Amino acid sequence: MPFVLPECDKDVPERKKHIYLKDEKDEFAIPACNIATTPGDLTERGCTYAGCRGVVGGPVKDVIQLQHGPIGCCYYPWAARPHVATGTNFHLANAFSTDLRESNIVFGGEKKLYNSIVEASEAFPNAQGVFVYATCVAGLIGDDITAVAKRASKAIGKPVVAFNCPGFRGVSQSLGHHVGNQVLFDTIVGTEELEEKTPYDINLIGEYNIKGDDWLIVPLLESIGLRVVCTFTGDASIHDIAKMHAAKLNVIRCARSAKYIAEMMQEKYGTPFMEVDLYGITQTANDLRKVAQYFGLEEKAEEVITKELAEIKEELDFYREKLKGKKVMIYQGGPRSWHWPETMAELGVDVVVVATTFGHEDDYEKIVKRVKNGTLVIDNPNAPELEEAMLKYKPDLFISGTKEKYLSHKYGVPFLNGHTYESSGGYMVFKGLVRFARDMYKSLYSPSWKFVRTQETAAEAQ
Amino acid sequence: MVVINRTRSVTINPPKMCQPIGAIWASLGVHASVPLVHGSQGCSTYPRNLMCRHFREPVEVAITSLHEKATIFGGAPNLKQALTHIIKRQHPKLITVITTCLSETTGDDIHGIVKSFKAENPVYDDSTKIVTINTPSYVGTHVLGYDNAIKAMVSQLSEKTEPNGKINIIPGMLNPGDVLEVKHMLKEMGVEAIYLTDISRTLNAPLRLPKPHFPEGGTTTEEIADSANSLGTITLCKHEGQSGANVLKDKYGMPAFLGELPIGVEATEAFLGNVTQMTGKKMPESLRDERDLLVDAMVDASQLTFGVKVAIFGDPDIVLGLTRFAYELGMKPLHVLTTLENPQFAKDMQALDTDYGADAEKQNIIVGGDLYDLSQKIKETPVDLIIGDYKGKYISKDEGIPLVRVGFPQADRFGYQRKRMIGYRGSLDLLDTMVNTIMDRKDD
Ligand code: SF4
């Protein structure tokens, strides 16, 4: 049984292996994942470049983000993800491109790239380096961006980092994360020393400061006595990344996009790592205990947990009461899909459908382990599948990203943006949980839903 | 007046996108259509994301999912498989095959592939039309992508039968609010039109359950076929429609009026004049009222608008339209910028300048420029107002100059897509916004 083919896919049988209904008999079946999208799908996936530039490299706040290729790939991700930063919006306010034209496709774009790096760094002398990303065409015409970066770096006297991430490589944004990690590890990590070391230095890995998540997590970690050397890459300076090797421990938040760098650091520098969820009460508390234990800070951690929980209790109880028994459908990039089932359970919410855009096997292992029997698990769903799932599983709330929001509303299903959070501020750790619950409540209880009519009642009213 | 051509290699803060998004836009104005982007993942997802943010509506775009293998062996199998899946699963009336920099560089012959797809699938029954559109991202911008898409649609679908007494309107990349305004004006004139194409309802739909399989509205493929039988074609945006209008003119001998965007008094009058010329229908009293209401407001606001220095950027047609309107209001358009790499724009702008006898104050016309250029010019010669899309907000913040939002995209505003800026009523709305912005600033 456990694999199912939705009605809309009756002519696309290959989709069956991507869709799994969890049941007892076959508890650990994993949907097919991390393979190419079926041509013709209305998929939500992005490309390798999107993962490298949009997710991993883009949040670095003090470098010139230069895309090498035609203009579109520069325009679309420009400030599309709200990875905010302290003290600057340079990386969000500015977008740089070599804007390749037809003649460059014929004769090559290396010269234009070199000039672009030099000119951009002249225009912005305060930038601390240049990140160069290759998109499809640059990859196809075979420009040697690494060699150009090396020469240009000498000319401008600052690091120029080349990411070979054309969109056609790999099957989704996921490979782009890997490229981003690898390149930053090879070229930047370990190039600067930390002035003052403490025994409590850690890095926070795979955290991108979407709407200020960092600003919730870092103070919490600090409150138990730790110091965050670098957040990779939310709110990060290129100099922070250069000093990452000085940390005693790597704490991994998004394991899908950034575990790679933690693994490489373990191998080269012997830095151990730890995976955390940091969503919800139990997970956050356990994560804090786990990290604290490593440093012998258990007592402080318990103190902080008690205090933080007391602070949110009253408000959270209110929302719990309101959310109790609601059904939710979750569709996220990767890890949030397995971070959240437990968080939802804590709020009394039932997860009926879980899907990811670019999850790998290890993501699905965790999802399948964490959801209840009868939950539908979909890999890389397309629009008709999401529509069918909404009709069949009748969620009270759909949590996903911008592209699904308006579709959800057309099906009469309240929606919450879990990618970039529409409200002000992050959803992580204890304080963020309250905001998460409040935003769910706001979508669910909006009085505007009362006025939605069916085609028939609208016609009758005429 | 100074025409500035860029010499820099690097583009910093581009106010332009690539061809595929223009083609996707045009496709979504057709009823029951599925745009199919022939490329790798990002090229469908990125434009969708941006359009969802602007329109606040679902935007469905399919992808042929090209990866390494397809870059070496070609994307024909992917394209054929994609067509099969879309036809079987969604039963659309139209699929538009839209190329990208990737499939153009690898050299996939989409016309040939579609032809052989039809031959290999004898069951293919023509109830789903397939239009092929070449939109290499390294040529032109989204403006050309839209233009190419309309051209491809009329070239591949139009069919001469019986005269229909209608006129063809090519709106360009204007908002649903603007298309509705054109419909309003033509209704007042008593003129029927075929819109090539019409997003006014497909990307602006009332919420009623259950959701229709495809959004309601949009131009039907039959109407596109029928465009061959119209009295003539009017483009609202010259650069986003001239190719389609010219195809119809050359093929069927019908007139093509390559318009100036109807913003302000003169350009709207010219547009309505073209409609009259094509149909013989006169401008009714109701539209004359609208005109004179606009004039009433312009006169009322003259103390506030006269001499106001503005910077204008965006798509060529919008910039031309806005500049003319700014002149009509006695404003001084000191810096105008568009990304069109085409000397025509500078010429059109110069003509406008001469019309209004621009005074001693030097006007910068930045051709093929970017927002970094604009910010530098504004630093040299400050203005009171910036008019353009939402990316202008960074200059606005840095320089402390208010931004009046016009053009696509406005990803961080609510309801902009419903607003109108064309026709007498749209110009009046725009005037209100500008004047209130100026008043706000005076208040500070
Ligand atoms: S798939 Fe290629 S061309 Fe398309 S957005 Fe990604 S890198 Fe750019």
Side-chain angles (χ1 to χ4, degrees), chain A residues 47 49 73 135-136 167, chain B residues 40-43 46 101:
Chain A
C47 59
Y49 163 71
C73 325
T135 55
C136 283
Chain B
S40 186
Q41 301 283 187
C43 299
Y46 272 141
C101 50

Side-chain angles (χ1 to χ4, degrees), chain B residues 154-214:
Chain B
V154 294
S155 316
Q156 295 170 41
L157 297 178
S158 68
E159 235 181 271
K160 186 91 188 157
T161 48
E162 293 295 308
N164 59 26
K166 297 176 183 174
I167 62 170
N168 300 324
I169 296 278
I170 306 180
M173 294 175 79
L174 298 183
N175 278 320
D178 288 316
V179 180
L180 290 175
E181 191 57 22
V182 188
K183 289 188 172 177
H184 158 76
M185 287 189 282
L186 293 186
K187 195 170 165 215
E188 297 298 310
M189 296 277 291
V191 170
E192 270 195 81
I194 293 174
Y195 293 84
L196 301 166
T197 61
D198 178 7
I199 60 160
S200 67
R201 194 152 170 115
T202 55
L203 288 175
N204 183 36
L207 177 53
R208 267 174 220 142
L209 303 177
K211 170 189 173 288
H213 178 52
F214 284 105

Side-chain angles (χ1 to χ4, degrees), chain A residues 64-67 71 74-75 78 90 93-99 115-125, chain B residues 6 8-16 337 339 368-376 391 395:
Chain A
I64 286 162
Q65 306 277 351
L66 172 65
Q67 166 265 353
I71 202 70
C74 166
Y75 193 89
W78 176 12
F90 175 72
N94 299 292
F96 300 80
S97 173
T98 51
D99 188 8
N115 291 340
S116 293
I117 297 169
V118 174
E119 290 164 1
S121 70
E122 275 166 9
F124 293 91
Chain B
R6 211 176 75 203
R8 250 189 296 121
S9 290
V10 70
T11 294
I12 308 175
N13 304 339
K16 64 172 176 177
L337 175 140
T339 52
D370 56 29
L371 295 182
Y372 182 72
D373 289 321
L374 187 65
S375 71
Q376 298 305 303
K391 294 292 190 190
I395 306 179

Side-chain angles (χ1 to χ4, degrees), chain A residues 8-9 37-43 45-46 50 78 94-95 97 99 101 119 167 170 403 410-411 453-455, chain B residues 9-11 13-14 16 40-41 45-46 48 56-57 63 65 67 85 89-90 140 205 207 209 211 391 409:
Chain A
C8 63
D9 286 336
T37 305
T38 312
D41 260 13
L42 301 135
T43 171
R45 273 185 172 174
W78 176 12
N94 299 292
S97 173
D99 188 8
R101 312 309 289 169
E119 290 164 1
K403 298 192 284 332
K410 295 289 178 204
Y411 277 86
R453 301 191 293 190
T454 63
Q455 301 283 5
Chain B
S9 290
V10 70
T11 294
N13 304 339
K16 64 172 176 177
S40 186
Q41 301 283 187
T45 308
Y46 272 141
R48 278 184 67 197
R56 297 183 186 265
E57 285 286 326
I63 189 78
S65 185
H67 298 293
H85 281 163
R89 177 146 65 185
Q90 284 157 283
L207 177 53
L209 303 177
K211 170 189 173 288
K391 294 292 190 190

